[in-house]
PDB file of all heavy atoms in Angstrom:
ATOM      1  N   THR A  30      66.964 162.043  52.932  1.00 52.00           N
ATOM      2  CA  THR A  30      67.053 161.371  54.216  1.00 52.00           C
ATOM      3  C   THR A  30      68.490 160.976  54.488  1.00 52.00           C
ATOM      4  O   THR A  30      69.223 160.554  53.601  1.00 52.00           O
ATOM      5  CB  THR A  30      66.165 160.115  54.215  1.00 52.00           C
ATOM      6  OG1 THR A  30      66.582 159.270  53.146  1.00 52.00           O
ATOM      7  CG2 THR A  30      64.713 160.491  54.038  1.00 52.00           C
ATOM      8  N   ARG A  31      68.875 161.142  55.748  1.00 68.00           N
ATOM      9  CA  ARG A  31      70.227 160.802  56.154  1.00 68.00           C
ATOM     10  C   ARG A  31      70.383 159.284  56.177  1.00 68.00           C
ATOM     11  O   ARG A  31      69.679 158.576  56.886  1.00 68.00           O
ATOM     12  CB  ARG A  31      70.502 161.379  57.561  1.00 68.00           C
ATOM     13  CG  ARG A  31      71.845 161.001  58.141  1.00 68.00           C
ATOM     14  CD  ARG A  31      72.970 161.682  57.399  1.00 68.00           C
ATOM     15  NE  ARG A  31      74.258 161.461  58.049  1.00 68.00           N
ATOM     16  CZ  ARG A  31      75.409 161.946  57.614  1.00 68.00           C
ATOM     17  NH1 ARG A  31      75.420 162.671  56.521  1.00 68.00           N
ATOM     18  NH2 ARG A  31      76.525 161.710  58.249  1.00 68.00           N
ATOM     19  N   VAL A  32      71.332 158.778  55.382  1.00 76.00           N
ATOM     20  CA  VAL A  32      71.564 157.344  55.317  1.00 76.00           C
ATOM     21  C   VAL A  32      72.262 156.885  56.587  1.00 76.00           C
ATOM     22  O   VAL A  32      73.298 157.434  56.971  1.00 76.00           O
ATOM     23  CB  VAL A  32      72.409 156.995  54.076  1.00 76.00           C
ATOM     24  CG1 VAL A  32      72.846 155.540  54.115  1.00 76.00           C
ATOM     25  CG2 VAL A  32      71.622 157.282  52.809  1.00 76.00           C
ATOM     26  N   GLN A  33      71.669 155.902  57.267  1.00 83.00           N
ATOM     27  CA  GLN A  33      72.243 155.368  58.506  1.00 83.00           C
ATOM     28  C   GLN A  33      73.115 154.149  58.261  1.00 83.00           C
ATOM     29  O   GLN A  33      73.967 153.820  59.077  1.00 83.00           O
ATOM     30  CB  GLN A  33      71.116 154.995  59.493  1.00 83.00           C
ATOM     31  CG  GLN A  33      70.236 156.162  59.888  1.00 83.00           C
ATOM     32  CD  GLN A  33      71.008 157.251  60.609  1.00 83.00           C
ATOM     33  OE1 GLN A  33      71.895 156.967  61.424  1.00 83.00           O
ATOM     34  NE2 GLN A  33      70.682 158.498  60.310  1.00 83.00           N
ATOM     35  N   GLU A  34      72.885 153.479  57.137  1.00 87.00           N
ATOM     36  CA  GLU A  34      73.683 152.314  56.798  1.00 87.00           C
ATOM     37  C   GLU A  34      73.695 152.122  55.285  1.00 87.00           C
ATOM     38  O   GLU A  34      72.864 152.666  54.560  1.00 87.00           O
ATOM     39  CB  GLU A  34      73.153 151.052  57.480  1.00 87.00           C
ATOM     40  CG  GLU A  34      71.826 150.562  56.932  1.00 87.00           C
ATOM     41  CD  GLU A  34      71.435 149.199  57.462  1.00 87.00           C
ATOM     42  OE1 GLU A  34      72.066 148.731  58.432  1.00 87.00           O
ATOM     43  OE2 GLU A  34      70.494 148.602  56.897  1.00 87.00           O
ATOM     44  N   PHE A  35      74.684 151.363  54.834  1.00 90.00           N
ATOM     45  CA  PHE A  35      74.776 150.999  53.425  1.00 90.00           C
ATOM     46  C   PHE A  35      74.619 149.490  53.285  1.00 90.00           C
ATOM     47  O   PHE A  35      74.985 148.728  54.181  1.00 90.00           O
ATOM     48  CB  PHE A  35      76.119 151.429  52.831  1.00 90.00           C
ATOM     49  CG  PHE A  35      76.325 152.916  52.782  1.00 90.00           C
ATOM     50  CD1 PHE A  35      77.123 153.556  53.721  1.00 90.00           C
ATOM     51  CD2 PHE A  35      75.720 153.682  51.794  1.00 90.00           C
ATOM     52  CE1 PHE A  35      77.324 154.919  53.675  1.00 90.00           C
ATOM     53  CE2 PHE A  35      75.909 155.055  51.744  1.00 90.00           C
ATOM     54  CZ  PHE A  35      76.706 155.675  52.689  1.00 90.00           C
ATOM     55  N   VAL A  36      74.068 149.096  52.147  1.00 89.00           N
ATOM     56  CA  VAL A  36      73.923 147.674  51.840  1.00 89.00           C
ATOM     57  C   VAL A  36      74.900 147.339  50.716  1.00 89.00           C
ATOM     58  O   VAL A  36      74.801 147.887  49.615  1.00 89.00           O
ATOM     59  CB  VAL A  36      72.486 147.333  51.409  1.00 89.00           C
ATOM     60  CG1 VAL A  36      72.379 145.850  51.065  1.00 89.00           C
ATOM     61  CG2 VAL A  36      71.497 147.703  52.507  1.00 89.00           C
ATOM     62  N   LEU A  37      75.842 146.471  51.002  1.00 89.00           N
ATOM     63  CA  LEU A  37      76.829 146.056  50.017  1.00 89.00           C
ATOM     64  C   LEU A  37      76.313 144.836  49.263  1.00 89.00           C
ATOM     65  O   LEU A  37      76.067 143.781  49.861  1.00 89.00           O
ATOM     66  CB  LEU A  37      78.158 145.722  50.703  1.00 89.00           C
ATOM     67  CG  LEU A  37      78.810 146.841  51.536  1.00 89.00           C
ATOM     68  CD1 LEU A  37      80.088 146.333  52.178  1.00 89.00           C
ATOM     69  CD2 LEU A  37      79.090 148.067  50.685  1.00 89.00           C
ATOM     70  N   LEU A  38      76.154 144.985  47.959  1.00 86.00           N
ATOM     71  CA  LEU A  38      75.714 143.846  47.150  1.00 86.00           C
ATOM     72  C   LEU A  38      76.801 142.786  47.046  1.00 86.00           C
ATOM     73  O   LEU A  38      76.508 141.598  46.906  1.00 86.00           O
ATOM     74  CB  LEU A  38      75.326 144.310  45.746  1.00 86.00           C
ATOM     75  CG  LEU A  38      74.063 145.160  45.624  1.00 86.00           C
ATOM     76  CD1 LEU A  38      73.799 145.488  44.154  1.00 86.00           C
ATOM     77  CD2 LEU A  38      72.863 144.458  46.232  1.00 86.00           C
ATOM     78  N   GLY A  39      78.064 143.214  47.097  1.00 82.00           N
ATOM     79  CA  GLY A  39      79.162 142.268  46.999  1.00 82.00           C
ATOM     80  C   GLY A  39      79.114 141.497  45.698  1.00 82.00           C
ATOM     81  O   GLY A  39      78.839 142.034  44.625  1.00 82.00           O
ATOM     82  N   LEU A  40      79.350 140.197  45.807  1.00 79.00           N
ATOM     83  CA  LEU A  40      79.276 139.321  44.644  1.00 79.00           C
ATOM     84  C   LEU A  40      77.981 138.526  44.626  1.00 79.00           C
ATOM     85  O   LEU A  40      77.892 137.472  43.994  1.00 79.00           O
ATOM     86  CB  LEU A  40      80.483 138.368  44.626  1.00 79.00           C
ATOM     87  CG  LEU A  40      81.857 139.044  44.641  1.00 79.00           C
ATOM     88  CD1 LEU A  40      82.962 138.006  44.601  1.00 79.00           C
ATOM     89  CD2 LEU A  40      82.008 140.030  43.493  1.00 79.00           C
ATOM     90  N   SER A  41      76.970 139.040  45.334  1.00 70.00           N
ATOM     91  CA  SER A  41      75.679 138.346  45.388  1.00 70.00           C
ATOM     92  C   SER A  41      74.932 138.408  44.062  1.00 70.00           C
ATOM     93  O   SER A  41      73.914 137.750  43.888  1.00 70.00           O
ATOM     94  CB  SER A  41      74.801 138.949  46.493  1.00 70.00           C
ATOM     95  OG  SER A  41      74.543 140.317  46.239  1.00 70.00           O
ATOM     96  N   THR A  42      75.429 139.228  43.119  1.00 68.00           N
ATOM     97  CA  THR A  42      74.816 139.279  41.797  1.00 68.00           C
ATOM     98  C   THR A  42      75.100 138.010  40.999  1.00 68.00           C
ATOM     99  O   THR A  42      74.572 137.830  39.905  1.00 68.00           O
ATOM    100  CB  THR A  42      75.328 140.503  41.026  1.00 68.00           C
ATOM    101  OG1 THR A  42      76.780 140.527  41.073  1.00 68.00           O
ATOM    102  CG2 THR A  42      74.811 141.790  41.656  1.00 68.00           C
ATOM    103  N   TRP A  43      75.959 137.148  41.548  1.00 72.00           N
ATOM    104  CA  TRP A  43      76.248 135.849  40.943  1.00 72.00           C
ATOM    105  C   TRP A  43      75.799 134.743  41.898  1.00 72.00           C
ATOM    106  O   TRP A  43      76.626 134.019  42.478  1.00 72.00           O
ATOM    107  CB  TRP A  43      77.733 135.706  40.631  1.00 72.00           C
ATOM    108  CG  TRP A  43      78.263 136.808  39.758  1.00 72.00           C
ATOM    109  CD1 TRP A  43      77.589 137.469  38.780  1.00 72.00           C
ATOM    110  CD2 TRP A  43      79.564 137.394  39.806  1.00 72.00           C
ATOM    111  NE1 TRP A  43      78.387 138.424  38.196  1.00 72.00           N
ATOM    112  CE2 TRP A  43      79.602 138.402  38.802  1.00 72.00           C
ATOM    113  CE3 TRP A  43      80.700 137.177  40.572  1.00 72.00           C
ATOM    114  CZ2 TRP A  43      80.734 139.177  38.568  1.00 72.00           C
ATOM    115  CZ3 TRP A  43      81.831 137.939  40.339  1.00 72.00           C
ATOM    116  CH2 TRP A  43      81.836 138.929  39.350  1.00 72.00           C
ATOM    117  N   PRO A  44      74.490 134.590  42.130  1.00 73.00           N
ATOM    118  CA  PRO A  44      74.002 133.677  43.175  1.00 73.00           C
ATOM    119  C   PRO A  44      74.298 132.206  42.898  1.00 73.00           C
ATOM    120  O   PRO A  44      74.412 131.418  43.833  1.00 73.00           O
ATOM    121  CB  PRO A  44      72.488 133.945  43.192  1.00 73.00           C
ATOM    122  CG  PRO A  44      72.174 134.481  41.827  1.00 73.00           C
ATOM    123  CD  PRO A  44      73.385 135.254  41.408  1.00 73.00           C
ATOM    124  N   ASP A  45      74.426 131.829  41.644  1.00 79.00           N
ATOM    125  CA  ASP A  45      74.617 130.416  41.317  1.00 79.00           C
ATOM    126  C   ASP A  45      75.953 129.875  41.815  1.00 79.00           C
ATOM    127  O   ASP A  45      76.080 128.658  42.028  1.00 79.00           O
ATOM    128  CB  ASP A  45      74.515 130.200  39.793  1.00 79.00           C
ATOM    129  CG  ASP A  45      73.122 130.521  39.271  1.00 79.00           C
ATOM    130  OD1 ASP A  45      72.175 130.493  40.085  1.00 79.00           O
ATOM    131  OD2 ASP A  45      72.987 130.811  38.068  1.00 79.00           O
ATOM    132  N   ILE A  46      76.937 130.743  41.954  1.00 83.00           N
ATOM    133  CA  ILE A  46      78.265 130.267  42.375  1.00 83.00           C
ATOM    134  C   ILE A  46      78.695 130.897  43.699  1.00 83.00           C
ATOM    135  O   ILE A  46      79.882 130.953  44.006  1.00 83.00           O
ATOM    136  CB  ILE A  46      79.310 130.563  41.287  1.00 83.00           C
ATOM    137  CG1 ILE A  46      79.327 132.071  40.950  1.00 83.00           C
ATOM    138  CG2 ILE A  46      79.048 129.741  40.038  1.00 83.00           C
ATOM    139  CD1 ILE A  46      80.459 132.454  39.995  1.00 83.00           C
ATOM    140  N   ARG A  47      77.732 131.354  44.491  1.00 85.00           N
ATOM    141  CA  ARG A  47      78.067 132.025  45.749  1.00 85.00           C
ATOM    142  C   ARG A  47      78.814 131.118  46.704  1.00 85.00           C
ATOM    143  O   ARG A  47      79.811 131.522  47.313  1.00 85.00           O
ATOM    144  CB  ARG A  47      76.783 132.543  46.416  1.00 85.00           C
ATOM    145  CG  ARG A  47      76.790 134.056  46.603  1.00 85.00           C
ATOM    146  CD  ARG A  47      75.486 134.543  47.156  1.00 85.00           C
ATOM    147  NE  ARG A  47      75.155 133.891  48.412  1.00 85.00           N
ATOM    148  CZ  ARG A  47      73.946 133.906  48.961  1.00 85.00           C
ATOM    149  NH1 ARG A  47      72.972 134.503  48.329  1.00 85.00           N
ATOM    150  NH2 ARG A  47      73.715 133.320  50.116  1.00 85.00           N
ATOM    151  N   ASP A  48      78.358 129.886  46.874  1.00 87.00           N
ATOM    152  CA  ASP A  48      79.014 128.960  47.803  1.00 87.00           C
ATOM    153  C   ASP A  48      80.438 128.655  47.359  1.00 87.00           C
ATOM    154  O   ASP A  48      81.359 128.599  48.181  1.00 87.00           O
ATOM    155  CB  ASP A  48      78.208 127.660  47.916  1.00 87.00           C
ATOM    156  CG  ASP A  48      76.856 127.875  48.573  1.00 87.00           C
ATOM    157  OD1 ASP A  48      76.712 128.893  49.281  1.00 87.00           O
ATOM    158  OD2 ASP A  48      75.953 127.041  48.378  1.00 87.00           O
ATOM    159  N   LEU A  49      80.622 128.478  46.065  1.00 90.00           N
ATOM    160  CA  LEU A  49      81.958 128.210  45.542  1.00 90.00           C
ATOM    161  C   LEU A  49      82.874 129.409  45.761  1.00 90.00           C
ATOM    162  O   LEU A  49      84.034 129.254  46.182  1.00 90.00           O
ATOM    163  CB  LEU A  49      81.868 127.880  44.053  1.00 90.00           C
ATOM    164  CG  LEU A  49      83.200 127.668  43.321  1.00 90.00           C
ATOM    165  CD1 LEU A  49      83.966 126.496  43.924  1.00 90.00           C
ATOM    166  CD2 LEU A  49      82.977 127.471  41.825  1.00 90.00           C
ATOM    167  N   LEU A  50      82.350 130.612  45.498  1.00 89.00           N
ATOM    168  CA  LEU A  50      83.143 131.816  45.707  1.00 89.00           C
ATOM    169  C   LEU A  50      83.503 132.004  47.172  1.00 89.00           C
ATOM    170  O   LEU A  50      84.620 132.430  47.492  1.00 89.00           O
ATOM    171  CB  LEU A  50      82.376 133.045  45.192  1.00 89.00           C
ATOM    172  CG  LEU A  50      82.218 133.173  43.674  1.00 89.00           C
ATOM    173  CD1 LEU A  50      81.350 134.374  43.331  1.00 89.00           C
ATOM    174  CD2 LEU A  50      83.580 133.281  42.996  1.00 89.00           C
ATOM    175  N   PHE A  51      82.572 131.690  48.062  1.00 92.00           N
ATOM    176  CA  PHE A  51      82.858 131.810  49.497  1.00 92.00           C
ATOM    177  C   PHE A  51      84.026 130.902  49.882  1.00 92.00           C
ATOM    178  O   PHE A  51      84.942 131.335  50.596  1.00 92.00           O
ATOM    179  CB  PHE A  51      81.619 131.453  50.319  1.00 92.00           C
ATOM    180  CG  PHE A  51      81.863 131.512  51.811  1.00 92.00           C
ATOM    181  CD1 PHE A  51      81.781 132.720  52.478  1.00 92.00           C
ATOM    182  CD2 PHE A  51      82.174 130.369  52.529  1.00 92.00           C
ATOM    183  CE1 PHE A  51      82.014 132.792  53.854  1.00 92.00           C
ATOM    184  CE2 PHE A  51      82.408 130.433  53.893  1.00 92.00           C
ATOM    185  CZ  PHE A  51      82.322 131.646  54.554  1.00 92.00           C
ATOM    186  N   ALA A  52      83.998 129.663  49.422  1.00 94.00           N
ATOM    187  CA  ALA A  52      85.073 128.720  49.738  1.00 94.00           C
ATOM    188  C   ALA A  52      86.405 129.203  49.161  1.00 94.00           C
ATOM    189  O   ALA A  52      87.452 129.126  49.835  1.00 94.00           O
ATOM    190  CB  ALA A  52      84.728 127.334  49.203  1.00 94.00           C
ATOM    191  N   ILE A  53      86.370 129.726  47.936  1.00 93.00           N
ATOM    192  CA  ILE A  53      87.604 130.190  47.296  1.00 93.00           C
ATOM    193  C   ILE A  53      88.191 131.385  48.039  1.00 93.00           C
ATOM    194  O   ILE A  53      89.388 131.411  48.381  1.00 93.00           O
ATOM    195  CB  ILE A  53      87.335 130.551  45.824  1.00 93.00           C
ATOM    196  CG1 ILE A  53      87.024 129.291  45.014  1.00 93.00           C
ATOM    197  CG2 ILE A  53      88.538 131.289  45.221  1.00 93.00           C
ATOM    198  CD1 ILE A  53      86.607 129.571  43.586  1.00 93.00           C
ATOM    199  N   PHE A  54      87.342 132.382  48.329  1.00 93.00           N
ATOM    200  CA  PHE A  54      87.855 133.600  48.960  1.00 93.00           C
ATOM    201  C   PHE A  54      88.231 133.376  50.419  1.00 93.00           C
ATOM    202  O   PHE A  54      89.155 134.023  50.922  1.00 93.00           O
ATOM    203  CB  PHE A  54      86.836 134.736  48.826  1.00 93.00           C
ATOM    204  CG  PHE A  54      86.783 135.324  47.449  1.00 93.00           C
ATOM    205  CD1 PHE A  54      85.634 135.228  46.673  1.00 93.00           C
ATOM    206  CD2 PHE A  54      87.881 135.962  46.906  1.00 93.00           C
ATOM    207  CE1 PHE A  54      85.593 135.760  45.395  1.00 93.00           C
ATOM    208  CE2 PHE A  54      87.852 136.499  45.631  1.00 93.00           C
ATOM    209  CZ  PHE A  54      86.699 136.395  44.877  1.00 93.00           C
ATOM    210  N   LEU A  55      87.562 132.481  51.105  1.00 95.00           N
ATOM    211  CA  LEU A  55      87.969 132.152  52.468  1.00 95.00           C
ATOM    212  C   LEU A  55      89.349 131.496  52.460  1.00 95.00           C
ATOM    213  O   LEU A  55      90.207 131.815  53.304  1.00 95.00           O
ATOM    214  CB  LEU A  55      86.946 131.225  53.120  1.00 95.00           C
ATOM    215  CG  LEU A  55      87.268 130.775  54.557  1.00 95.00           C
ATOM    216  CD1 LEU A  55      87.360 131.976  55.491  1.00 95.00           C
ATOM    217  CD2 LEU A  55      86.213 129.792  55.060  1.00 95.00           C
ATOM    218  N   THR A  56      89.578 130.608  51.505  1.00 95.00           N
ATOM    219  CA  THR A  56      90.894 129.963  51.383  1.00 95.00           C
ATOM    220  C   THR A  56      91.973 130.995  51.059  1.00 95.00           C
ATOM    221  O   THR A  56      93.062 130.986  51.665  1.00 95.00           O
ATOM    222  CB  THR A  56      90.851 128.885  50.283  1.00 95.00           C
ATOM    223  OG1 THR A  56      89.844 127.918  50.598  1.00 95.00           O
ATOM    224  CG2 THR A  56      92.200 128.191  50.169  1.00 95.00           C
ATOM    225  N   LEU A  57      91.673 131.884  50.118  1.00 93.00           N
ATOM    226  CA  LEU A  57      92.637 132.933  49.761  1.00 93.00           C
ATOM    227  C   LEU A  57      92.913 133.849  50.948  1.00 93.00           C
ATOM    228  O   LEU A  57      94.061 134.272  51.176  1.00 93.00           O
ATOM    229  CB  LEU A  57      92.114 133.744  48.579  1.00 93.00           C
ATOM    230  CG  LEU A  57      91.986 133.023  47.234  1.00 93.00           C
ATOM    231  CD1 LEU A  57      91.415 133.967  46.181  1.00 93.00           C
ATOM    232  CD2 LEU A  57      93.328 132.475  46.783  1.00 93.00           C
ATOM    233  N   TYR A  58      91.871 134.167  51.702  1.00 94.00           N
ATOM    234  CA  TYR A  58      91.996 135.039  52.876  1.00 94.00           C
ATOM    235  C   TYR A  58      92.940 134.430  53.914  1.00 94.00           C
ATOM    236  O   TYR A  58      93.891 135.087  54.372  1.00 94.00           O
ATOM    237  CB  TYR A  58      90.607 135.259  53.460  1.00 94.00           C
ATOM    238  CG  TYR A  58      90.555 136.060  54.736  1.00 94.00           C
ATOM    239  CD1 TYR A  58      90.925 137.406  54.761  1.00 94.00           C
ATOM    240  CD2 TYR A  58      90.102 135.490  55.922  1.00 94.00           C
ATOM    241  CE1 TYR A  58      90.858 138.145  55.925  1.00 94.00           C
ATOM    242  CE2 TYR A  58      90.025 136.222  57.095  1.00 94.00           C
ATOM    243  CZ  TYR A  58      90.412 137.545  57.092  1.00 94.00           C
ATOM    244  OH  TYR A  58      90.343 138.275  58.249  1.00 94.00           O
ATOM    245  N   LEU A  59      92.709 133.180  54.261  1.00 95.00           N
ATOM    246  CA  LEU A  59      93.539 132.517  55.266  1.00 95.00           C
ATOM    247  C   LEU A  59      94.962 132.306  54.758  1.00 95.00           C
ATOM    248  O   LEU A  59      95.932 132.470  55.512  1.00 95.00           O
ATOM    249  CB  LEU A  59      92.909 131.175  55.658  1.00 95.00           C
ATOM    250  CG  LEU A  59      91.530 131.264  56.322  1.00 95.00           C
ATOM    251  CD1 LEU A  59      90.967 129.863  56.572  1.00 95.00           C
ATOM    252  CD2 LEU A  59      91.604 132.053  57.624  1.00 95.00           C
ATOM    253  N   LEU A  60      95.090 131.959  53.487  1.00 93.00           N
ATOM    254  CA  LEU A  60      96.411 131.749  52.898  1.00 93.00           C
ATOM    255  C   LEU A  60      97.212 133.049  52.874  1.00 93.00           C
ATOM    256  O   LEU A  60      98.424 133.051  53.155  1.00 93.00           O
ATOM    257  CB  LEU A  60      96.263 131.186  51.486  1.00 93.00           C
ATOM    258  CG  LEU A  60      97.548 130.763  50.767  1.00 93.00           C
ATOM    259  CD1 LEU A  60      98.267 129.681  51.558  1.00 93.00           C
ATOM    260  CD2 LEU A  60      97.237 130.264  49.355  1.00 93.00           C
ATOM    261  N   THR A  61      96.555 134.147  52.545  1.00 93.00           N
ATOM    262  CA  THR A  61      97.228 135.444  52.512  1.00 93.00           C
ATOM    263  C   THR A  61      97.729 135.844  53.891  1.00 93.00           C
ATOM    264  O   THR A  61      98.866 136.315  54.044  1.00 93.00           O
ATOM    265  CB  THR A  61      96.282 136.526  51.969  1.00 93.00           C
ATOM    266  OG1 THR A  61      95.846 136.159  50.660  1.00 93.00           O
ATOM    267  CG2 THR A  61      96.965 137.875  51.910  1.00 93.00           C
TER     268      THR A  61
END
């Protein structure tokens, strides 16, 4: 079957620290 979209797991394999990672990477993103 022709794939119409992909699902990116990202860092969701670490659910316990997802909120912390979001805050860290958002800060790094804006700082960069």
Side-chain angles (χ1 to χ4, degrees):
T30 57
R31 176 70 173 180
V32 171
Q33 300 298 321
E34 70 171 13
F35 295 102
V36 179
L37 302 178
L38 291 182
L40 303 181
S41 61
T42 51
W43 304 327
D45 295 338
I46 56 173
R47 240 176 57 196
D48 293 339
L49 176 61
L50 290 176
F51 178 83
I53 291 174
F54 285 116
L55 179 61
T56 302
L57 294 178
Y58 176 66
L59 297 176
L60 186 60
T61 302

